[in-house]
Amino acid sequence: EHKMSIEEVCRKYNTDCVQGLTHSKAQEILARDGPNALTPPPTTPEWVKFCRQLFGGFSILLWIGAILCFLAYGIQAGTEDEPSNDNLYLGIVLAAVVIITGCFSYYQEAKSSKIMESFKNMVPQQALVIREGEKMQVNAEEVVVGDLVEVKGGDRVPADLRIISAHGCKVDNSSLTGESEPQTRSPDCTHDNPLETRNITFFSTNCVEGTARGVVIATGDRTVMGRIATLASGLEVGKTPIAVEIEHFIQLITGVAVFLGISFFILSLILGYTWLEAVIFLIGIIVANVPEGLLATVTVCLTLTAKRMARKNCLVKNLEAVETLGSTSTICSDKTGTLTQNRMTVAHMWFDNQIHEADTTEDQSGGFGVFWMIPVGILGCKSQILGLFPQRDVAGDASESALLKCIELSSGSVKVMRERNKKVAEIPFNSTNKYQLSIHETEDPNDNRYLLVMKGAPERILDRCSTILLQGKEQPLDEEMKEAFQNAYLELGGLGERVLGESVGDFGEFGGILGEFWGVWERIWAADNLCFVGLMSMIDPPRAAVPDAVGKCRSAGIKVIMVTGDHPITAKAIAKGVGIISEGNETVEDIAARLNIPVSQVNPRDAKACVIHGTDLKDMSSEQIDEILQNHTEIVFARTSPQQKLIIVEGCQRQVGDTPKSALGPQNCPWDPRNLHPADMILLDDNFASIVTGVGEGRLIFDNLKKSIAYTLTSNIPEITPFLLFIMANIPLPLGTITILCIDLGTDMVPAISLAYEAAESDIMKRQPRNPRSDKLVNERLISMAYGQIGMIQALGGFFAYFVILAENGFLPSCLVGIRLRWDDRTINDLEDSYGQQWVRLGRPQKWGSSKKWGSRKMGIPKNGENKILIFGLFEETALAAFLSYCPGMDVALRMYPLK
Amino acid sequence: GLILLFYLVFYGFLAALFTFTMWVMLQTLSSDIPKYRDRISSPGLMISPKPDTALEFYFNRSDSQSYAEYVATLQNFLESYNDSKQSQNIDCTRGKIFDQNDAAVKKACRFNLSELGQCSGKEDTNFGYSKGTPCVLVKMNRVIGLKPEGEPHIQCTPKEEGMVQINYFPPDGAMDLMYFPYYGKSLHAHYLQPLVAVQLAITPNGTKEEIAIECKILGSPNLKNQDDRDKFLGRIAFKVQMIE
């Protein structure tokens, strides 16, 4: 297709190069070809997901336990006349537990992925198509072959396009070819290979600058990207930090469980137990060691936080990404829209060699209009035309809308002016030229000269000017005026305002023939000898919440890097305004100015802040970038092009790899809604403050998960020590396996989940970000705390209760040691206690599970009493424990007896 | 280093605390009677000798080795019932609860071995195992403060008729009330629980057969013998198989 002429392409797709497809035709093709979207990679079938929940993690251990139970029961049933049903029940309960937790996690996952699906649909890609001559926004999915599509800088290309016209269009094909350098696009075929030729842009690549119009030649899976995607769909997705943490934790616990289980299996065989008994011990130890309810707890905690974040305009696609944001150490933020309101307002103007102030508030019509209209009416008129952009209303480009707004307020309708000065041609603004230029008809219909108007970066504009407009008259632009211009420019720029230069020129006669006009394109590029009209400066006021948010980031140890396309001075002013460069911190240039020495003599390390110009960045090696990122805490990148932003982000990411000692975490660069396609998280309102909220939530969930896990783990020691003492000291078994399950799944779950509601500790945003390599979710401190301290206290509490109950019923601790064999012997029915009483077997106080629980609960009450849900959780737990202990019949089922 | 020290101190403290609370708890307990006795309101029955594995007797009446262990256990068990050991014990009034709540030193009632008749081991040192009339002693678990009502006696019934003839010593398997109540190990040092000997005269029909026998305590309304769940409350079941 790229070799065909435009007309041939249009003919091939039955379309019109100007009018586009008709609506009915588009519908027809849409019905034929299906939506323009990649078929999603084959998702794991539901039953596989279900099985993964059922057999993953701890579940497999529990399954082994259940199978061993059934085996033990089978063997007992085969060898004994009156087998106890304990093992059968235990096996059934274990299997039920695994299935129920599996179902629960599966349900949770299904629910959250459904939420995520709905999020995806909330931010659809839009495309600008021309149908029946009308431009219209449609969902990118509805684009069909033959559609005429317009793309502009910043858009994602909605389908494979054959370019039919382009203005300074550059695309970033990095997603396709890996080449980060933007490539020019034009209607001409430059290469035989469709991937190399300039007149094709590809689906899902980004248009970096300029505009282009093209015919869709392929959609959906038939696009080049689609074909590649189908090939590469088997690609593994990287794991989020929290997933790694949880996996690490599971391995740890499983390892401990298996190790303890096996060693005690062998030990009990050596101690002379039958292998059947040893197997039962093995099951008990595994059950005691595995926190059965933990995975469900974690899932619930993450879901809760994701919901909470969604309420704060932070959509999370992947549950586990919730925590990722919390480990952020550097935020690269775009300035416009994120730090600022993205609502350009004209603040100052410079003309007649004077700076005039315009109110940034809404109320700027009065005084402003007067000196705007009367002395330089012409400027008003011209700049209005400058602001003209077909298809763009005030909601368009930020600076243009500011201009238009300003003009609407001062000189009336923009529309009328537009009609009077019809535009014939334009060079759109792009970041290479840094100016925009357009050619208009003059107001006088008889005057067939054309008016050239130009606006853009003042230095570029001034280069093209030879005269300047003063008091309504053209005057030659001499050195003095140039200096005045420079001063005004620096002054306005120093206020953090975006300064635009404006000039007009007489473009001579073209005889009004468009065809001829195209021929003189060269002349437009070379246009000079223009008349400089003035400077306009605009400010994009920072969002109110930003300085606070930046301050929070700073105290949270997060480095905030600003990346912007603005002039360094502007960038610096805004950065100072929002606190990215904090008060009192100087850049190299500031130090040089203060000490009155050349910049080169200042040691760059003395300056904490630095402003880096895009052109400097271009010449830097990655080592130099690394050095900058390392040595400066407050960095602003100015005048950067979109691809340089990527370089910066990569640099940041390298930092994490290279300097683990500086405790940097993974990057999140949530700057641009359109770059978020592969991201796990979407900020709905593009507000920097939302990021900070997200960071806070992420850290909070990490903390709370830690608490939950610690809480759950503490019950492991009180669960396992009875077994160990049972085997080693031959005391009657204090806590049965089924009772352990009751504790883990019944009473412990709700308090553990309620810990997810814990409020943040006051210093949560004042700590350094966590280092994913050394700060584990489950670290030695947590283990030693949960096992060594709290766990031991609980275990002792439990044992105390156990001994008290046995002693009060007649079995003093001294007679308990070594009693186990006779205690458990079903044929001994005259077991003598310390008081000379003799007990039948069933009457003996057995398995004082509840006592254990009561003992452990007393220790479980946290210091933080403000969490209502936690209090509810503790009540629930107490109630459930009471139910299990006191409800009639439970002593038969669970062999638990109430405490007195 | 420091963490080790911390754990040392911490565990030391925990151990001390545990020991202390245990000690306090033990102080609150009386050494005479346990604090709670409601879990053991009704006594169970037990037999002597008790075979090692299950409540099943297997022996060959012509092979003394096969029942030597039973005989030894019985002799051992009855050792404390010897007259010489009962010198301090008194003869109590038969058929009456021997209440001595007020006495500081509780007296024990004499249980004369001669009451066990042919199963006392005096006449037949083999307790009838060599003659095909093995003796089994049935005793009721000691429970502090238990006062049986009515006239408790042991009654044993074989599952199938005609295989065994059962004789009781003392006659009718009676347990005399004078042996109750029991005051606990420390107060009632020389206490001897009453015994009922059951002589199983195995008929030629029953030889080589496995005979299931269940013994129950009857005649006392406050002694349970029909608990669904606990098969040893007030009753006991065992099996005997004798070959020649």
Side-chain angles (χ1 to χ4, degrees), chain A residues 82 784 788 808 827 829-830 832 835-838 897 900, chain B residues 7 11 30 36 38-39 50 139 141-142 144 185 232:
Chain A
E82 253 183 275
S784 99
E808 288 185 340
T827 61
N829 285 291
D830 53 352
E832 197 173 314
Y835 294 91
Q837 302 194 94
Q838 291 170 322
Y897 299 95
K900 298 284 174 200
Chain B
Y7 272 103
Y11 284 146
S30 143
Y36 300 115
D38 56 342
R39 297 221 73 87
K50 188 195 93 63
K139 60 198 174 83
N141 283 350
R142 288 190 295 254
I144 293 174
K185 205 155 127 188
F232 295 98

PDB file of all heavy atoms in Angstrom, chain A residues 82 784 788 808 827 829-830 832 835-838 897 900, chain B residues 7 11 30 36 38-39 50 139 141-142 144 185 232:
ATOM      1  N   GLU A  82     -12.606 -51.097  66.057  1.00  0.00           N
ATOM      2  CA  GLU A  82     -13.372 -49.903  66.386  1.00  0.00           C
ATOM      3  C   GLU A  82     -12.516 -48.671  66.124  1.00  0.00           C
ATOM      4  O   GLU A  82     -12.007 -48.060  67.043  1.00  0.00           O
ATOM      5  CB  GLU A  82     -13.759 -49.935  67.869  1.00  0.00           C
ATOM      6  CG  GLU A  82     -15.210 -50.224  68.100  1.00  0.00           C
ATOM      7  CD  GLU A  82     -15.526 -50.161  69.576  1.00  0.00           C
ATOM      8  OE1 GLU A  82     -15.323 -51.187  70.255  1.00  0.00           O
ATOM      9  OE2 GLU A  82     -15.941 -49.098  70.035  1.00  0.00           O
ATOM     10  N   SER A 784      10.782 -12.687  64.563  1.00  0.00           N
ATOM     11  CA  SER A 784      11.245 -12.808  65.940  1.00  0.00           C
ATOM     12  C   SER A 784      10.232 -12.185  66.877  1.00  0.00           C
ATOM     13  O   SER A 784      10.016 -12.650  67.984  1.00  0.00           O
ATOM     14  CB  SER A 784      12.625 -12.173  66.097  1.00  0.00           C
ATOM     15  OG  SER A 784      12.518 -10.885  66.643  1.00  0.00           O
ATOM     16  N   GLY A 788       9.032 -15.191  68.502  1.00  0.00           N
ATOM     17  CA  GLY A 788       9.871 -15.187  69.694  1.00  0.00           C
ATOM     18  C   GLY A 788       9.248 -14.478  70.869  1.00  0.00           C
ATOM     19  O   GLY A 788       9.424 -14.890  72.010  1.00  0.00           O
ATOM     20  N   GLU A 808      -6.758 -27.941  88.587  1.00  0.00           N
ATOM     21  CA  GLU A 808      -7.968 -27.727  89.364  1.00  0.00           C
ATOM     22  C   GLU A 808      -8.891 -28.922  89.296  1.00  0.00           C
ATOM     23  O   GLU A 808      -9.743 -29.114  90.146  1.00  0.00           O
ATOM     24  CB  GLU A 808      -8.683 -26.460  88.886  1.00  0.00           C
ATOM     25  CG  GLU A 808      -7.916 -25.216  89.297  1.00  0.00           C
ATOM     26  CD  GLU A 808      -8.633 -23.948  88.960  1.00  0.00           C
ATOM     27  OE1 GLU A 808      -9.524 -23.993  88.086  1.00  0.00           O
ATOM     28  OE2 GLU A 808      -8.302 -22.915  89.558  1.00  0.00           O
ATOM     29  N   THR A 827      -7.752 -48.461  76.753  1.00  0.00           N
ATOM     30  CA  THR A 827      -8.163 -49.545  77.631  1.00  0.00           C
ATOM     31  C   THR A 827      -7.895 -49.227  79.093  1.00  0.00           C
ATOM     32  O   THR A 827      -8.310 -49.957  79.964  1.00  0.00           O
ATOM     33  CB  THR A 827      -7.421 -50.836  77.260  1.00  0.00           C
ATOM     34  OG1 THR A 827      -6.022 -50.606  77.417  1.00  0.00           O
ATOM     35  CG2 THR A 827      -7.735 -51.239  75.847  1.00  0.00           C
ATOM     36  N   ASN A 829      -8.829 -47.397  82.115  1.00  0.00           N
ATOM     37  CA  ASN A 829      -9.965 -46.623  82.559  1.00  0.00           C
ATOM     38  C   ASN A 829      -9.937 -46.339  84.038  1.00  0.00           C
ATOM     39  O   ASN A 829     -10.942 -46.005  84.637  1.00  0.00           O
ATOM     40  CB  ASN A 829     -11.260 -47.336  82.185  1.00  0.00           C
ATOM     41  CG  ASN A 829     -11.526 -47.188  80.713  1.00  0.00           C
ATOM     42  OD1 ASN A 829     -11.829 -46.107  80.249  1.00  0.00           O
ATOM     43  ND2 ASN A 829     -11.359 -48.266  79.970  1.00  0.00           N
ATOM     44  N   ASP A 830      -8.740 -46.499  84.597  1.00  0.00           N
ATOM     45  CA  ASP A 830      -8.644 -46.149  86.003  1.00  0.00           C
ATOM     46  C   ASP A 830      -7.406 -45.292  86.230  1.00  0.00           C
ATOM     47  O   ASP A 830      -6.625 -45.513  87.131  1.00  0.00           O
ATOM     48  CB  ASP A 830      -8.600 -47.398  86.888  1.00  0.00           C
ATOM     49  CG  ASP A 830      -7.503 -48.348  86.450  1.00  0.00           C
ATOM     50  OD1 ASP A 830      -6.892 -48.095  85.388  1.00  0.00           O
ATOM     51  OD2 ASP A 830      -7.256 -49.323  87.164  1.00  0.00           O
ATOM     52  N   GLU A 832      -5.107 -42.700  87.469  1.00  0.00           N
ATOM     53  CA  GLU A 832      -5.160 -42.076  88.778  1.00  0.00           C
ATOM     54  C   GLU A 832      -4.591 -40.675  88.729  1.00  0.00           C
ATOM     55  O   GLU A 832      -3.554 -40.428  88.119  1.00  0.00           O
ATOM     56  CB  GLU A 832      -4.358 -42.930  89.767  1.00  0.00           C
ATOM     57  CG  GLU A 832      -4.682 -42.609  91.211  1.00  0.00           C
ATOM     58  CD  GLU A 832      -3.996 -43.592  92.157  1.00  0.00           C
ATOM     59  OE1 GLU A 832      -4.052 -44.795  91.882  1.00  0.00           O
ATOM     60  OE2 GLU A 832      -3.406 -43.138  93.130  1.00  0.00           O
ATOM     61  N   TYR A 835      -4.781 -36.835  93.275  1.00  0.00           N
ATOM     62  CA  TYR A 835      -5.532 -36.937  94.509  1.00  0.00           C
ATOM     63  C   TYR A 835      -6.011 -38.351  94.779  1.00  0.00           C
ATOM     64  O   TYR A 835      -6.807 -38.584  95.653  1.00  0.00           O
ATOM     65  CB  TYR A 835      -6.736 -35.993  94.484  1.00  0.00           C
ATOM     66  CG  TYR A 835      -6.327 -34.539  94.457  1.00  0.00           C
ATOM     67  CD1 TYR A 835      -6.146 -33.870  93.270  1.00  0.00           C
ATOM     68  CD2 TYR A 835      -6.103 -33.863  95.654  1.00  0.00           C
ATOM     69  CE1 TYR A 835      -5.764 -32.566  93.249  1.00  0.00           C
ATOM     70  CE2 TYR A 835      -5.714 -32.558  95.642  1.00  0.00           C
ATOM     71  CZ  TYR A 835      -5.544 -31.887  94.444  1.00  0.00           C
ATOM     72  OH  TYR A 835      -5.159 -30.596  94.435  1.00  0.00           O
ATOM     73  N   GLY A 836      -5.564 -39.274  93.937  1.00  0.00           N
ATOM     74  CA  GLY A 836      -5.957 -40.650  94.142  1.00  0.00           C
ATOM     75  C   GLY A 836      -7.270 -41.000  93.488  1.00  0.00           C
ATOM     76  O   GLY A 836      -7.752 -42.106  93.596  1.00  0.00           O
ATOM     77  N   GLN A 837      -7.876 -40.053  92.762  1.00  0.00           N
ATOM     78  CA  GLN A 837      -9.104 -40.394  92.051  1.00  0.00           C
ATOM     79  C   GLN A 837      -8.739 -41.176  90.801  1.00  0.00           C
ATOM     80  O   GLN A 837      -7.661 -41.032  90.251  1.00  0.00           O
ATOM     81  CB  GLN A 837      -9.857 -39.132  91.648  1.00  0.00           C
ATOM     82  CG  GLN A 837     -10.214 -38.253  92.801  1.00  0.00           C
ATOM     83  CD  GLN A 837     -11.227 -37.218  92.385  1.00  0.00           C
ATOM     84  OE1 GLN A 837     -12.403 -37.413  92.544  1.00  0.00           O
ATOM     85  NE2 GLN A 837     -10.746 -36.127  91.823  1.00  0.00           N
ATOM     86  N   GLN A 838      -9.683 -41.950  90.340  1.00  0.00           N
ATOM     87  CA  GLN A 838      -9.418 -42.716  89.129  1.00  0.00           C
ATOM     88  C   GLN A 838     -10.408 -42.288  88.051  1.00  0.00           C
ATOM     89  O   GLN A 838     -11.593 -42.131  88.307  1.00  0.00           O
ATOM     90  CB  GLN A 838      -9.546 -44.203  89.427  1.00  0.00           C
ATOM     91  CG  GLN A 838      -8.412 -44.666  90.320  1.00  0.00           C
ATOM     92  CD  GLN A 838      -8.623 -46.058  90.826  1.00  0.00           C
ATOM     93  OE1 GLN A 838      -9.746 -46.454  91.150  1.00  0.00           O
ATOM     94  NE2 GLN A 838      -7.549 -46.821  90.916  1.00  0.00           N
ATOM     95  N   TYR A 897     -13.862 -27.714  76.123  1.00  0.00           N
ATOM     96  CA  TYR A 897     -14.681 -27.497  77.293  1.00  0.00           C
ATOM     97  C   TYR A 897     -14.511 -26.076  77.753  1.00  0.00           C
ATOM     98  O   TYR A 897     -13.451 -25.485  77.586  1.00  0.00           O
ATOM     99  CB  TYR A 897     -14.278 -28.461  78.410  1.00  0.00           C
ATOM    100  CG  TYR A 897     -14.458 -29.885  78.005  1.00  0.00           C
ATOM    101  CD1 TYR A 897     -13.393 -30.607  77.495  1.00  0.00           C
ATOM    102  CD2 TYR A 897     -15.707 -30.484  78.084  1.00  0.00           C
ATOM    103  CE1 TYR A 897     -13.555 -31.915  77.095  1.00  0.00           C
ATOM    104  CE2 TYR A 897     -15.879 -31.788  77.678  1.00  0.00           C
ATOM    105  CZ  TYR A 897     -14.801 -32.508  77.189  1.00  0.00           C
ATOM    106  OH  TYR A 897     -14.971 -33.785  76.788  1.00  0.00           O
ATOM    107  N   LYS A 900     -13.898 -22.369  83.617  1.00  0.00           N
ATOM    108  CA  LYS A 900     -14.809 -21.985  84.685  1.00  0.00           C
ATOM    109  C   LYS A 900     -14.900 -20.464  84.717  1.00  0.00           C
ATOM    110  O   LYS A 900     -13.901 -19.791  84.665  1.00  0.00           O
ATOM    111  CB  LYS A 900     -14.270 -22.479  86.027  1.00  0.00           C
ATOM    112  CG  LYS A 900     -14.164 -23.962  86.075  1.00  0.00           C
ATOM    113  CD  LYS A 900     -15.521 -24.598  86.251  1.00  0.00           C
ATOM    114  CE  LYS A 900     -15.364 -26.105  86.153  1.00  0.00           C
ATOM    115  NZ  LYS A 900     -16.609 -26.775  85.847  1.00  0.00           N
TER     116      LYS A 900
ATOM    117  N   TYR B   7      16.834 -11.577  74.220  1.00  0.00           N
ATOM    118  CA  TYR B   7      16.022 -12.785  74.306  1.00  0.00           C
ATOM    119  C   TYR B   7      16.304 -13.554  75.584  1.00  0.00           C
ATOM    120  O   TYR B   7      15.411 -14.158  76.186  1.00  0.00           O
ATOM    121  CB  TYR B   7      16.231 -13.653  73.066  1.00  0.00           C
ATOM    122  CG  TYR B   7      15.286 -13.266  71.979  1.00  0.00           C
ATOM    123  CD1 TYR B   7      15.698 -12.520  70.901  1.00  0.00           C
ATOM    124  CD2 TYR B   7      13.938 -13.613  72.057  1.00  0.00           C
ATOM    125  CE1 TYR B   7      14.814 -12.127  69.919  1.00  0.00           C
ATOM    126  CE2 TYR B   7      13.043 -13.233  71.090  1.00  0.00           C
ATOM    127  CZ  TYR B   7      13.484 -12.497  70.022  1.00  0.00           C
ATOM    128  OH  TYR B   7      12.603 -12.105  69.058  1.00  0.00           O
ATOM    129  N   TYR B  11      13.284 -14.180  77.860  1.00  0.00           N
ATOM    130  CA  TYR B  11      12.822 -15.525  78.187  1.00  0.00           C
ATOM    131  C   TYR B  11      13.005 -15.817  79.669  1.00  0.00           C
ATOM    132  O   TYR B  11      12.189 -16.513  80.285  1.00  0.00           O
ATOM    133  CB  TYR B  11      13.554 -16.565  77.336  1.00  0.00           C
ATOM    134  CG  TYR B  11      13.032 -16.602  75.925  1.00  0.00           C
ATOM    135  CD1 TYR B  11      13.870 -16.871  74.850  1.00  0.00           C
ATOM    136  CD2 TYR B  11      11.688 -16.376  75.656  1.00  0.00           C
ATOM    137  CE1 TYR B  11      13.402 -16.887  73.554  1.00  0.00           C
ATOM    138  CE2 TYR B  11      11.209 -16.396  74.370  1.00  0.00           C
ATOM    139  CZ  TYR B  11      12.063 -16.650  73.320  1.00  0.00           C
ATOM    140  OH  TYR B  11      11.589 -16.671  72.055  1.00  0.00           O
ATOM    141  N   SER B  30      -5.943 -26.809  97.170  1.00  0.00           N
ATOM    142  CA  SER B  30      -5.824 -27.571  98.401  1.00  0.00           C
ATOM    143  C   SER B  30      -5.092 -28.863  98.073  1.00  0.00           C
ATOM    144  O   SER B  30      -5.251 -29.416  96.986  1.00  0.00           O
ATOM    145  CB  SER B  30      -7.216 -27.848  98.949  1.00  0.00           C
ATOM    146  OG  SER B  30      -7.250 -29.137  99.520  1.00  0.00           O
ATOM    147  N   TYR B  36     -12.225 -28.634  91.472  1.00  0.00           N
ATOM    148  CA  TYR B  36     -13.467 -28.993  90.767  1.00  0.00           C
ATOM    149  C   TYR B  36     -13.596 -30.496  90.712  1.00  0.00           C
ATOM    150  O   TYR B  36     -12.644 -31.195  90.395  1.00  0.00           O
ATOM    151  CB  TYR B  36     -13.445 -28.428  89.349  1.00  0.00           C
ATOM    152  CG  TYR B  36     -13.337 -26.939  89.321  1.00  0.00           C
ATOM    153  CD1 TYR B  36     -12.222 -26.310  88.784  1.00  0.00           C
ATOM    154  CD2 TYR B  36     -14.350 -26.149  89.853  1.00  0.00           C
ATOM    155  CE1 TYR B  36     -12.117 -24.944  88.759  1.00  0.00           C
ATOM    156  CE2 TYR B  36     -14.255 -24.786  89.848  1.00  0.00           C
ATOM    157  CZ  TYR B  36     -13.137 -24.175  89.289  1.00  0.00           C
ATOM    158  OH  TYR B  36     -13.053 -22.826  89.283  1.00  0.00           O
ATOM    159  N   ASP B  38     -16.682 -31.775  89.307  1.00  0.00           N
ATOM    160  CA  ASP B  38     -17.927 -32.039  88.581  1.00  0.00           C
ATOM    161  C   ASP B  38     -17.713 -32.870  87.315  1.00  0.00           C
ATOM    162  O   ASP B  38     -18.639 -33.407  86.750  1.00  0.00           O
ATOM    163  CB  ASP B  38     -18.648 -30.734  88.240  1.00  0.00           C
ATOM    164  CG  ASP B  38     -17.766 -29.799  87.454  1.00  0.00           C
ATOM    165  OD1 ASP B  38     -16.538 -30.001  87.478  1.00  0.00           O
ATOM    166  OD2 ASP B  38     -18.292 -28.874  86.817  1.00  0.00           O
ATOM    167  N   ARG B  39     -16.490 -32.942  86.820  1.00  0.00           N
ATOM    168  CA  ARG B  39     -16.266 -33.749  85.629  1.00  0.00           C
ATOM    169  C   ARG B  39     -16.194 -35.232  85.959  1.00  0.00           C
ATOM    170  O   ARG B  39     -16.099 -36.070  85.082  1.00  0.00           O
ATOM    171  CB  ARG B  39     -14.963 -33.328  84.951  1.00  0.00           C
ATOM    172  CG  ARG B  39     -14.955 -31.911  84.453  1.00  0.00           C
ATOM    173  CD  ARG B  39     -14.281 -31.832  83.108  1.00  0.00           C
ATOM    174  NE  ARG B  39     -15.132 -32.398  82.076  1.00  0.00           N
ATOM    175  CZ  ARG B  39     -16.060 -31.697  81.417  1.00  0.00           C
ATOM    176  NH1 ARG B  39     -16.239 -30.438  81.663  1.00  0.00           N
ATOM    177  NH2 ARG B  39     -16.791 -32.277  80.496  1.00  0.00           N
ATOM    178  N   LYS B  50      -5.382 -56.457  83.883  1.00  0.00           N
ATOM    179  CA  LYS B  50      -5.737 -55.850  82.600  1.00  0.00           C
ATOM    180  C   LYS B  50      -4.726 -56.306  81.555  1.00  0.00           C
ATOM    181  O   LYS B  50      -3.538 -56.038  81.684  1.00  0.00           O
ATOM    182  CB  LYS B  50      -5.682 -54.320  82.694  1.00  0.00           C
ATOM    183  CG  LYS B  50      -6.217 -53.644  81.455  1.00  0.00           C
ATOM    184  CD  LYS B  50      -5.847 -52.189  81.381  1.00  0.00           C
ATOM    185  CE  LYS B  50      -4.577 -51.961  80.590  1.00  0.00           C
ATOM    186  NZ  LYS B  50      -4.668 -52.349  79.182  1.00  0.00           N
ATOM    187  N   LYS B 139     -13.344 -53.618  89.974  1.00  0.00           N
ATOM    188  CA  LYS B 139     -13.294 -52.569  90.999  1.00  0.00           C
ATOM    189  C   LYS B 139     -13.934 -51.316  90.427  1.00  0.00           C
ATOM    190  O   LYS B 139     -14.025 -51.137  89.214  1.00  0.00           O
ATOM    191  CB  LYS B 139     -11.854 -52.287  91.417  1.00  0.00           C
ATOM    192  CG  LYS B 139     -10.967 -51.812  90.298  1.00  0.00           C
ATOM    193  CD  LYS B 139      -9.504 -51.979  90.661  1.00  0.00           C
ATOM    194  CE  LYS B 139      -8.593 -51.643  89.503  1.00  0.00           C
ATOM    195  NZ  LYS B 139      -8.328 -50.221  89.358  1.00  0.00           N
ATOM    196  N   ASN B 141     -13.874 -47.212  90.193  1.00  0.00           N
ATOM    197  CA  ASN B 141     -12.895 -46.124  90.312  1.00  0.00           C
ATOM    198  C   ASN B 141     -13.139 -45.313  91.568  1.00  0.00           C
ATOM    199  O   ASN B 141     -14.280 -45.042  91.943  1.00  0.00           O
ATOM    200  CB  ASN B 141     -12.975 -45.197  89.099  1.00  0.00           C
ATOM    201  CG  ASN B 141     -12.294 -45.804  87.891  1.00  0.00           C
ATOM    202  OD1 ASN B 141     -11.605 -46.821  88.021  1.00  0.00           O
ATOM    203  ND2 ASN B 141     -12.484 -45.193  86.746  1.00  0.00           N
ATOM    204  N   ARG B 142     -12.018 -44.911  92.175  1.00  0.00           N
ATOM    205  CA  ARG B 142     -12.126 -44.069  93.362  1.00  0.00           C
ATOM    206  C   ARG B 142     -12.548 -42.672  92.949  1.00  0.00           C
ATOM    207  O   ARG B 142     -11.981 -42.088  92.025  1.00  0.00           O
ATOM    208  CB  ARG B 142     -10.767 -43.984  94.049  1.00  0.00           C
ATOM    209  CG  ARG B 142     -10.338 -45.251  94.749  1.00  0.00           C
ATOM    210  CD  ARG B 142      -9.109 -44.967  95.584  1.00  0.00           C
ATOM    211  NE  ARG B 142      -7.966 -44.617  94.767  1.00  0.00           N
ATOM    212  CZ  ARG B 142      -6.937 -45.433  94.539  1.00  0.00           C
ATOM    213  NH1 ARG B 142      -6.920 -46.637  95.089  1.00  0.00           N
ATOM    214  NH2 ARG B 142      -5.928 -45.061  93.795  1.00  0.00           N
ATOM    215  N   ILE B 144     -13.482 -39.004  94.916  1.00  0.00           N
ATOM    216  CA  ILE B 144     -13.520 -38.371  96.235  1.00  0.00           C
ATOM    217  C   ILE B 144     -14.943 -37.955  96.578  1.00  0.00           C
ATOM    218  O   ILE B 144     -15.643 -37.327  95.774  1.00  0.00           O
ATOM    219  CB  ILE B 144     -12.570 -37.163  96.274  1.00  0.00           C
ATOM    220  CG1 ILE B 144     -11.132 -37.664  96.158  1.00  0.00           C
ATOM    221  CG2 ILE B 144     -12.762 -36.340  97.546  1.00  0.00           C
ATOM    222  CD1 ILE B 144     -10.099 -36.590  96.042  1.00  0.00           C
ATOM    223  N   LYS B 185      -6.183 -39.059  98.554  1.00  0.00           N
ATOM    224  CA  LYS B 185      -4.916 -39.728  98.802  1.00  0.00           C
ATOM    225  C   LYS B 185      -4.255 -39.247 100.104  1.00  0.00           C
ATOM    226  O   LYS B 185      -3.774 -40.051 100.896  1.00  0.00           O
ATOM    227  CB  LYS B 185      -3.986 -39.448  97.639  1.00  0.00           C
ATOM    228  CG  LYS B 185      -2.915 -40.476  97.426  1.00  0.00           C
ATOM    229  CD  LYS B 185      -2.519 -40.414  95.951  1.00  0.00           C
ATOM    230  CE  LYS B 185      -1.051 -40.248  95.734  1.00  0.00           C
ATOM    231  NZ  LYS B 185      -0.775 -39.998  94.300  1.00  0.00           N
ATOM    232  N   PHE B 232     -17.492 -46.821  79.761  1.00  0.00           N
ATOM    233  CA  PHE B 232     -16.857 -47.329  80.969  1.00  0.00           C
ATOM    234  C   PHE B 232     -17.439 -46.734  82.236  1.00  0.00           C
ATOM    235  O   PHE B 232     -16.978 -47.021  83.318  1.00  0.00           O
ATOM    236  CB  PHE B 232     -15.348 -47.071  80.919  1.00  0.00           C
ATOM    237  CG  PHE B 232     -14.685 -47.842  79.810  1.00  0.00           C
ATOM    238  CD1 PHE B 232     -14.401 -47.251  78.596  1.00  0.00           C
ATOM    239  CD2 PHE B 232     -14.376 -49.184  79.993  1.00  0.00           C
ATOM    240  CE1 PHE B 232     -13.812 -47.974  77.591  1.00  0.00           C
ATOM    241  CE2 PHE B 232     -13.781 -49.903  78.978  1.00  0.00           C
ATOM    242  CZ  PHE B 232     -13.502 -49.303  77.771  1.00  0.00           C
TER     243      PHE B 232
END
